Amino acid sequence: MKSWLLVNLFFLLTLVVHAQAPSFRSYQKLQEYQGLYEYTNRTTLKLAASPKDSLLYALIADGRYPLYPVGPDLFLNQSKDTVRFQRDTQKKIVSYSVKQQRFQRLNSTLTFPRQMWYPRLSPFTYRYNVPTQASDGLLVGSLQHSGLDSTLLATMVNKIADGTYPNIHSILIIKDGRLVFEEYFFDYTQDSLHQLRSATKSFISALTGIAIDKGLIKSVHEPVLPFFPEYTLQNQSELKQQLTIEHLLTNQSGLDCDITNEQSAGNEEKMDYSPDWVKFTLDLPMIDKPGGKGMYCSGNPITAGRIIEKQAHMSLPDFARQTLFDPLGITQFNWHFQPDLTSAESYCQLYLRPRDMAKFGLLYLNKGQWQGKQIISQDWVTASMAKHSVVQNTNYGYLWWLKYLNAAGTRYDGVTAQGNGGQRIYIWPAQNMVTVITGGNFNQQSPSDGLMATYILAAFNKK
């Protein structure tokens, strides 16, 4: 999932920039730039100065993206684009420009809570508390007799609080069917909806299975193109005619679409502002046979989602509400599934509470059952969590990652829904455990897997 302030970090450069620019990177100076601004595609963004690290951040779709000062009224974003601010005759900031586009400041009086910049406000002393029992269907329990190490978990929380592990928003652990650990950081709470980024794809997988269970789709082996008779597609070929729903779910479409290849015709940035993402995807040339090389392509699950909509005669969020969210007792969510340029920043992603993410993981751990009711067929869950392809050197199911982590020399096999920024829904069948981590490390390395291995899975090595 892409955004204007994207892709490769240049950490060493920013260290140099910071060292050379003390006069215009003070927190007080950066506050001049705060406010609500115009943004691309008739949207808005907020700029906020952080008292913690004296950086200016663009707040876009709940993501925070740093702007690095390089001179008076001059910044670089993570893509190394120049961001220049303009002032009026009174020397007040009125706009910024980037890539030959200019955007006006709409409001200069915004304020931002201090807690949004700090994992925990000091002074902070961690003390474990049993999660609160709520009316959301999750049972709670204590760490005692769970097999988890309370000392390790306390160390983890303290290291998140002191910034050793940055931008962690929540960590939840369900062990043996009970929520035994639940911690939130910064200004996130139990009731906060959090973006899932590409972890949304695993929900599309679930909805595909439900659509098949209900007979709306015959099977994963149905060819894709007949679902879209309204399109006159480019680059038609016999190979493209062989494309099935299963190939979308396993990221083996064979289309020229690979997030790891900037030259790919289906690169996400090229798709972002196209008027119809499904047609954009299906228009792509074939560079492999369907079922061949696994290539990570967001157009694949988006196309699968549109097929569900066409067969169910309703929007994907409405179908999710009726068939998945309501049965799981998920009453709060936000999902703008509109695969066109209006989603260039949100990227059709789902927003859920971390507790509800955990319930989704528990549903899969329990082979599609929730409170004794079969929500998704066991066969679909089993197929989804089985290896079908290899994507980015990782075994891959139906829009689920089949990952393993090493903890103190021991291998732990799991199944993961994951997204940019550190969003994770981990399922650990052998440990009868589900863990959820959310974070804000967008377009950079996330500590989520490291936390999982070092402080949660490591407890089982002591047995």
Side-chain angles (χ1 to χ4, degrees), residues 1-136:
M1 294 186 175
K2 305 274 184 176
S3 187
W4 160 53
L5 304 160
L6 263 187
V7 181
N8 56 54
L9 290 173
F10 45 110
F11 180 66
L12 293 178
L13 172 63
T14 63
L15 290 180
V16 174
V17 167
H18 286 191
Q20 294 178 344
S23 62
F24 44 81
R25 65 174 289 250
S26 70
Y27 172 57
Q28 289 74 22
K29 182 69 174 176
L30 291 174
Q31 286 181 296
E32 281 191 85
Y33 304 96
Q34 288 191 157
L36 179 70
Y37 289 80
E38 293 176 335
Y39 186 45
T40 56
N41 200 32
R42 299 182 180 179
T43 59
T44 59
L45 60 75
K46 296 176 183 178
L47 293 182
S50 167
K52 182 181 179 184
D53 55 15
S54 294
L55 282 177
L56 190 66
Y57 284 84
L59 311 182
I60 307 170
D62 290 345
R64 301 177 188 179
Y65 304 90
L67 298 176
Y68 301 101
V70 293
D73 296 338
L74 193 64
F75 296 77
L76 291 178
N77 64 26
Q78 286 180 299
S79 297
K80 303 182 185 180
D81 301 318
T82 298
V83 181
R84 188 183 300 274
F85 288 85
Q86 292 80 38
R87 297 177 182 267
D88 62 13
T89 56
Q90 305 299 315
K91 304 298 184 183
K92 294 184 180 297
I93 299 293
V94 294
S95 63
Y96 73 87
S97 58
V98 61
K99 291 184 174 180
Q100 300 181 328
Q101 288 185 286
R102 186 164 175 168
F103 302 95
Q104 298 296 315
R105 180 153 76 167
L106 304 175
N107 186 333
S108 61
T109 62
L110 299 184
T111 58
F112 301 91
R114 182 176 176 81
Q115 187 161 347
M116 72 178 284
W117 304 112
Y118 298 92
R120 294 285 170 88
L121 294 177
S122 59
F124 168 70
T125 302
Y126 175 68
R127 188 179 76 175
Y128 170 75
N129 290 299
V130 175
T132 304
Q133 183 68 62
S135 57
D136 57 6

Side-chain angles (χ1 to χ4, degrees), residues 388-407:
H388 295 280
S389 64
V390 177
V391 178
Q392 297 177 3
N393 299 315
T394 302
N395 290 343
Y396 201 74
Y398 286 165
L399 300 175
W400 286 89
W401 298 90
L402 312 183
K403 293 179 64 173
Y404 69 88
L405 295 177
N406 287 312

Side-chain angles (χ1 to χ4, degrees), residues 7 91 99 115 123 161 166 181 190 195 282 332 342 349 388 394 429:
V7 181
K91 304 298 184 183
K99 291 184 174 180
Q115 187 161 347
F181 185 86
Q190 185 183 99
Q195 56 188 303
L282 297 178
Q332 302 175 53
T342 66
Q349 69 176 307
H388 295 280
T394 302

Side-chain angles (χ1 to χ4, degrees), residues 86-315:
Q86 292 80 38
R87 297 177 182 267
D88 62 13
T89 56
Q90 305 299 315
K91 304 298 184 183
K92 294 184 180 297
I93 299 293
V94 294
S95 63
Y96 73 87
S97 58
V98 61
K99 291 184 174 180
Q100 300 181 328
Q101 288 185 286
R102 186 164 175 168
F103 302 95
Q104 298 296 315
R105 180 153 76 167
L106 304 175
N107 186 333
S108 61
T109 62
L110 299 184
T111 58
F112 301 91
R114 182 176 176 81
Q115 187 161 347
M116 72 178 284
W117 304 112
Y118 298 92
R120 294 285 170 88
L121 294 177
S122 59
F124 168 70
T125 302
Y126 175 68
R127 188 179 76 175
Y128 170 75
N129 290 299
V130 175
T132 304
Q133 183 68 62
S135 57
D136 57 6
L138 271 182
L139 299 176
V140 302
S142 172
L143 280 176
Q144 189 175 13
H145 307 306
S146 69
L148 294 157
D149 189 321
S150 60
T151 301
L152 281 176
L153 294 177
T155 300
M156 176 181 70
V157 172
N158 286 323
K159 286 186 176 293
I160 293 171
D162 69 18
T164 301
Y165 297 100
N167 300 320
I168 297 298
H169 296 163
S170 72
I171 300 183
L172 288 74
I173 304 173
I174 294 179
K175 183 71 172 70
D176 300 326
R178 292 182 178 270
L179 180 67
V180 297
F181 185 86
E182 182 180 28
E183 294 291 337
Y184 298 92
F185 305 92
F186 296 97
D187 50 349
Y188 290 89
T189 69
Q190 185 183 99
D191 295 322
S192 299
L193 293 177
H194 200 286
Q195 56 188 303
L196 275 82
R197 294 292 179 110
S198 285
T200 302
K201 294 174 171 64
S202 299
F203 286 79
I204 293 177
S205 172
L207 296 173
T208 304
I210 292 172
I212 291 173
D213 291 342
K214 292 183 174 296
L216 301 176
I217 297 172
K218 293 178 182 178
S219 78
V220 293
H221 303 298
E222 281 207 79
V224 169
L225 299 192
F227 287 105
F228 300 97
E230 69 274 24
Y231 292 156
T232 300
L233 295 176
Q234 301 176 22
N235 299 300
Q236 280 280 18
S237 68
E238 290 185 11
L239 284 181
K240 189 174 286 190
Q241 296 291 334
Q242 297 170 20
L243 175 62
T244 69
I245 292 172
E246 183 172 51
H247 298 137
L248 300 177
L249 301 178
T250 61
N251 270 314
Q252 293 174 296
S253 64
L255 295 164
D256 186 4
C257 182
D258 186 351
I259 196 172
T260 64
N261 179 10
E262 292 185 2
Q263 304 306 314
S264 170
N267 183 277
E268 287 184 356
E269 290 186 77
K270 298 175 184 176
M271 183 173 76
D272 282 353
Y273 296 101
S274 61
D276 184 336
W277 290 1
V278 174
K279 187 176 188 301
F280 175 93
T281 300
L282 297 178
D283 274 342
L284 294 171
M286 302 293 292
I287 58 171
D288 194 9
K289 65 180 181 180
K293 179 183 177 183
M295 295 179 286
Y296 192 83
C297 172
S298 292
N300 291 333
I302 284 172
T303 302
R306 180 64 90 199
I307 291 172
I308 296 169
E309 290 187 324
K310 291 169 76 75
Q311 297 305 104
H313 304 291
M314 67 177 72
S315 72

